[in-house]
Every structure is written in structure tokens, then in C-alpha cells.
Amino acid sequence: MSSRTPGALKFSAGFYQVLGIGGWQLRPAFGVQSSELHPMTIEPACAMSEQTPVVLQDALPAPAVVQLASPVVLIGYGLHAFWQDEQALEWRLWVNIMQAFGWQEEQVVFVDSALLMSDDQVFASVEEVIGMGIERLLSMDEGHPINETLSEGVEILTVPNFEALLGDPYAKKSFYQQALKLFG
């Protein structure tokens, strides 16, 4: 029997990164500073005589803002419907993704594949993306013809769509792993 005091479990930021979970932060408009946050304690459901103390760290350090030479390009179906809509879960998730990678909203360009109805629209979008000078982009719409056209000059990193990201933690991990390749 050890003499450890009963208490809470402690998880490090590295543990969360292994799971593919990025740091969560409140937006500045909510007025809570990270210095005001306190470690969260989890009490076990059943009382055990001896436990290892664990404290959850609910405030991770803010990622440094990444000054990108080229923008982050995201291709997806229906992106226009929720882009910059503060009420949409997809937008809130995207804001968290940008924060986790240190991207600024101005650095992200999206292409809504649902709006690309004609070949002319596809080619205009391809020219615009190629004109940005990017080497890699993220695509949530793997089957769209724009990907085939772009793949001749740009590496397409296929990522899960927002429906999958909102419902499957493994999709978030897959997205994270692909997004790390953007600038590496």
C-alpha cells in the first residue's frame, strides 16, 4: 500500500496532443483570461482507498501566430453556408482548428465546391488557387473535379469533412495529421 493521497488524475498537454486534441481557448470577447482559469479536479465515482493524484490542465498555452508565406486553402462542399457564421458548429470548430495551428482568419481561403457548377467556374478557381503560389491544400471534397485539375500542380491533402469532424474523434486526429503536412 502506498501513502499517496486520494485526489484527481493529472494529464499533460502532451497527452492531449497524442490523442489529437488541440488546445481550447476562450475568445477574448468572453473576458476570461487564462490566468483566471483553475485546474479542474475529477473525483472518482466510487471511493477507492488509494489513488494517484491527477489534475487536468484545462488551459494550454496559446499557440504562436504563424506568419505564413502562402495562405491555407480549404476546398469543401457547402462551406459558404456556414463560413463566418458564429452560430454554426462547423464555423466554431474551424475557429478552434485555426487557433490550434496558429492561423489567422485572413490567412485562410476557402473554395466551396458546391458553387462550382460549370467548367469555367472550376478553371477560374484553379487559376486563382495556383496564382496564390501554394504547394499543398486541404480538400474535404475528394471526388470533385477541381481536385483532379489542381493535382497537376498542387499536392491535395484529403481531410474529413465537417460532418465527420463533428461526429468522430478519429476524424479530428486524421485532419490534424494531414494539416501538419501543409507547411512541412
Side-chain angles (χ1 to χ4, degrees):
M1 299 299 235
S2 74
S3 62
R4 295 182 185 173
T5 59
L9 300 172
K10 181 177 181 176
F11 295 102
S12 68
F15 174 77
Y16 288 114
Q17 288 178 337
V18 169
L19 293 176
I21 301 171
W24 180 84
Q25 299 176 6
L26 288 175
R27 296 182 118 189
F30 290 98
V32 177
Q33 300 298 321
S34 62
S35 62
E36 297 173 2
L37 299 176
H38 305 286
M40 188 171 81
T41 304
I42 295 180
E43 295 298 328
C46 60
M48 300 176 101
S49 61
E50 310 236 353
Q51 294 180 354
T52 305
V54 177
V55 176
L56 294 177
Q57 296 179 5
D58 58 349
L60 298 175
V65 173
V66 178
Q67 295 300 324
L68 304 174
S70 60
V72 175
V73 177
L74 175 67
I75 297 174
Y77 187 85
L79 298 178
H80 191 269
F82 62 81
W83 204 259
Q84 294 182 331
D85 178 2
E86 298 291 330
Q87 301 304 314
L89 291 176
E90 295 89 349
W91 177 250
R92 290 188 217 165
L93 175 60
W94 184 253
V95 169
N96 287 336
I97 290 169
M98 289 189 302
Q99 287 177 348
F101 285 101
W103 301 336
Q104 296 298 309
E105 195 172 325
E106 303 83 39
Q107 297 170 310
V108 179
V109 176
F110 77 94
V111 177
D112 189 340
S113 57
L115 302 177
L116 303 176
M117 301 293 188
S118 69
D119 289 341
D120 290 338
Q121 291 172 324
V122 170
F123 289 119
S125 295
V126 167
E127 286 179 9
E128 185 178 337
V129 169
I130 291 174
M132 293 177 197
I134 61 168
E135 295 179 15
R136 296 174 188 91
L137 61 82
L138 302 172
S139 177
M140 294 181 163
D141 191 0
E142 185 177 13
H144 196 278
I146 193 170
N147 291 318
E148 183 179 338
T149 307
L150 281 169
S151 68
E152 295 175 15
V154 177
E155 182 180 355
I156 309 292
L157 302 172
T158 304
V159 294
N161 62 26
F162 280 102
E163 183 178 320
L165 289 171
L166 288 169
D168 181 11
Y170 294 109
K172 291 178 180 126
K173 181 179 179 181
S174 173
F175 183 96
Y176 178 78
Q177 290 170 338
Q178 287 293 84
L180 283 177
K181 298 177 185 177
L182 271 178
F183 306 104

PDB file of all heavy atoms in Angstrom, residues 8-20:
ATOM      1  N   ALA A   8      -7.124  13.798  -7.721  1.00  0.00           N
ATOM      2  CA  ALA A   8      -7.505  13.804  -9.131  1.00  0.00           C
ATOM      3  C   ALA A   8      -6.342  13.335  -9.991  1.00  0.00           C
ATOM      4  O   ALA A   8      -5.198  13.358  -9.568  1.00  0.00           O
ATOM      5  CB  ALA A   8      -7.905  15.215  -9.524  1.00  0.00           C
ATOM      6  N   LEU A   9      -6.651  12.918 -11.207  1.00  0.00           N
ATOM      7  CA  LEU A   9      -5.640  12.495 -12.174  1.00  0.00           C
ATOM      8  C   LEU A   9      -5.063  13.728 -12.863  1.00  0.00           C
ATOM      9  O   LEU A   9      -5.750  14.720 -13.060  1.00  0.00           O
ATOM     10  CB  LEU A   9      -6.278  11.587 -13.226  1.00  0.00           C
ATOM     11  CG  LEU A   9      -6.911  10.311 -12.689  1.00  0.00           C
ATOM     12  CD1 LEU A   9      -7.679   9.610 -13.790  1.00  0.00           C
ATOM     13  CD2 LEU A   9      -5.857   9.396 -12.137  1.00  0.00           C
ATOM     14  N   LYS A  10      -3.825  13.660 -13.298  1.00  0.00           N
ATOM     15  CA  LYS A  10      -3.183  14.791 -13.958  1.00  0.00           C
ATOM     16  C   LYS A  10      -2.791  14.374 -15.370  1.00  0.00           C
ATOM     17  O   LYS A  10      -2.075  13.400 -15.549  1.00  0.00           O
ATOM     18  CB  LYS A  10      -1.944  15.242 -13.188  1.00  0.00           C
ATOM     19  CG  LYS A  10      -1.259  16.434 -13.822  1.00  0.00           C
ATOM     20  CD  LYS A  10      -0.091  16.905 -12.998  1.00  0.00           C
ATOM     21  CE  LYS A  10       0.550  18.109 -13.652  1.00  0.00           C
ATOM     22  NZ  LYS A  10       1.623  18.658 -12.858  1.00  0.00           N
ATOM     23  N   PHE A  11      -3.269  15.114 -16.364  1.00  0.00           N
ATOM     24  CA  PHE A  11      -2.942  14.857 -17.760  1.00  0.00           C
ATOM     25  C   PHE A  11      -2.146  16.042 -18.294  1.00  0.00           C
ATOM     26  O   PHE A  11      -2.504  17.191 -18.070  1.00  0.00           O
ATOM     27  CB  PHE A  11      -4.207  14.688 -18.601  1.00  0.00           C
ATOM     28  CG  PHE A  11      -5.009  13.481 -18.207  1.00  0.00           C
ATOM     29  CD1 PHE A  11      -6.137  13.606 -17.432  1.00  0.00           C
ATOM     30  CD2 PHE A  11      -4.613  12.221 -18.610  1.00  0.00           C
ATOM     31  CE1 PHE A  11      -6.872  12.505 -17.057  1.00  0.00           C
ATOM     32  CE2 PHE A  11      -5.342  11.121 -18.251  1.00  0.00           C
ATOM     33  CZ  PHE A  11      -6.481  11.249 -17.461  1.00  0.00           C
ATOM     34  N   SER A  12      -1.101  15.760 -19.020  1.00  0.00           N
ATOM     35  CA  SER A  12      -0.269  16.834 -19.567  1.00  0.00           C
ATOM     36  C   SER A  12      -0.786  17.249 -20.940  1.00  0.00           C
ATOM     37  O   SER A  12      -1.581  16.562 -21.561  1.00  0.00           O
ATOM     38  CB  SER A  12       1.175  16.355 -19.688  1.00  0.00           C
ATOM     39  OG  SER A  12       1.268  15.359 -20.690  1.00  0.00           O
ATOM     40  N   ALA A  13      -0.291  18.377 -21.418  1.00  0.00           N
ATOM     41  CA  ALA A  13      -0.642  18.842 -22.763  1.00  0.00           C
ATOM     42  C   ALA A  13      -0.176  17.838 -23.811  1.00  0.00           C
ATOM     43  O   ALA A  13      -0.838  17.642 -24.826  1.00  0.00           O
ATOM     44  CB  ALA A  13      -0.010  20.215 -23.014  1.00  0.00           C
ATOM     45  N   GLY A  14       0.944  17.174 -23.561  1.00  0.00           N
ATOM     46  CA  GLY A  14       1.447  16.150 -24.483  1.00  0.00           C
ATOM     47  C   GLY A  14       0.476  14.991 -24.628  1.00  0.00           C
ATOM     48  O   GLY A  14       0.322  14.422 -25.707  1.00  0.00           O
ATOM     49  N   PHE A  15      -0.183  14.633 -23.534  1.00  0.00           N
ATOM     50  CA  PHE A  15      -1.181  13.553 -23.575  1.00  0.00           C
ATOM     51  C   PHE A  15      -2.307  13.920 -24.528  1.00  0.00           C
ATOM     52  O   PHE A  15      -2.743  13.120 -25.336  1.00  0.00           O
ATOM     53  CB  PHE A  15      -1.722  13.316 -22.165  1.00  0.00           C
ATOM     54  CG  PHE A  15      -2.852  12.338 -22.101  1.00  0.00           C
ATOM     55  CD1 PHE A  15      -2.619  10.976 -22.199  1.00  0.00           C
ATOM     56  CD2 PHE A  15      -4.155  12.776 -21.953  1.00  0.00           C
ATOM     57  CE1 PHE A  15      -3.660  10.076 -22.145  1.00  0.00           C
ATOM     58  CE2 PHE A  15      -5.204  11.891 -21.893  1.00  0.00           C
ATOM     59  CZ  PHE A  15      -4.965  10.526 -21.991  1.00  0.00           C
ATOM     60  N   TYR A  16      -2.777  15.165 -24.443  1.00  0.00           N
ATOM     61  CA  TYR A  16      -3.850  15.595 -25.330  1.00  0.00           C
ATOM     62  C   TYR A  16      -3.384  15.622 -26.784  1.00  0.00           C
ATOM     63  O   TYR A  16      -4.144  15.311 -27.697  1.00  0.00           O
ATOM     64  CB  TYR A  16      -4.369  16.972 -24.925  1.00  0.00           C
ATOM     65  CG  TYR A  16      -5.164  16.935 -23.639  1.00  0.00           C
ATOM     66  CD1 TYR A  16      -4.689  17.567 -22.506  1.00  0.00           C
ATOM     67  CD2 TYR A  16      -6.366  16.253 -23.560  1.00  0.00           C
ATOM     68  CE1 TYR A  16      -5.415  17.531 -21.323  1.00  0.00           C
ATOM     69  CE2 TYR A  16      -7.090  16.207 -22.385  1.00  0.00           C
ATOM     70  CZ  TYR A  16      -6.616  16.845 -21.271  1.00  0.00           C
ATOM     71  OH  TYR A  16      -7.323  16.800 -20.113  1.00  0.00           O
ATOM     72  N   GLN A  17      -2.139  16.007 -27.021  1.00  0.00           N
ATOM     73  CA  GLN A  17      -1.625  16.037 -28.389  1.00  0.00           C
ATOM     74  C   GLN A  17      -1.541  14.646 -28.977  1.00  0.00           C
ATOM     75  O   GLN A  17      -1.812  14.450 -30.148  1.00  0.00           O
ATOM     76  CB  GLN A  17      -0.261  16.716 -28.436  1.00  0.00           C
ATOM     77  CG  GLN A  17      -0.364  18.207 -28.216  1.00  0.00           C
ATOM     78  CD  GLN A  17       0.993  18.878 -28.203  1.00  0.00           C
ATOM     79  OE1 GLN A  17       2.002  18.248 -27.938  1.00  0.00           O
ATOM     80  NE2 GLN A  17       1.001  20.163 -28.499  1.00  0.00           N
ATOM     81  N   VAL A  18      -1.180  13.656 -28.173  1.00  0.00           N
ATOM     82  CA  VAL A  18      -1.137  12.271 -28.636  1.00  0.00           C
ATOM     83  C   VAL A  18      -2.527  11.822 -29.071  1.00  0.00           C
ATOM     84  O   VAL A  18      -2.686  11.093 -30.042  1.00  0.00           O
ATOM     85  CB  VAL A  18      -0.570  11.337 -27.541  1.00  0.00           C
ATOM     86  CG1 VAL A  18      -0.774   9.882 -27.889  1.00  0.00           C
ATOM     87  CG2 VAL A  18       0.900  11.628 -27.308  1.00  0.00           C
ATOM     88  N   LEU A  19      -3.535  12.285 -28.363  1.00  0.00           N
ATOM     89  CA  LEU A  19      -4.911  11.949 -28.710  1.00  0.00           C
ATOM     90  C   LEU A  19      -5.421  12.755 -29.896  1.00  0.00           C
ATOM     91  O   LEU A  19      -6.494  12.489 -30.405  1.00  0.00           O
ATOM     92  CB  LEU A  19      -5.835  12.197 -27.504  1.00  0.00           C
ATOM     93  CG  LEU A  19      -5.625  11.276 -26.309  1.00  0.00           C
ATOM     94  CD1 LEU A  19      -6.538  11.690 -25.171  1.00  0.00           C
ATOM     95  CD2 LEU A  19      -5.881   9.832 -26.692  1.00  0.00           C
ATOM     96  N   GLY A  20      -4.655  13.744 -30.346  1.00  0.00           N
ATOM     97  CA  GLY A  20      -5.089  14.571 -31.460  1.00  0.00           C
ATOM     98  C   GLY A  20      -6.018  15.696 -31.051  1.00  0.00           C
ATOM     99  O   GLY A  20      -6.776  16.212 -31.856  1.00  0.00           O
TER     100      GLY A  20
END
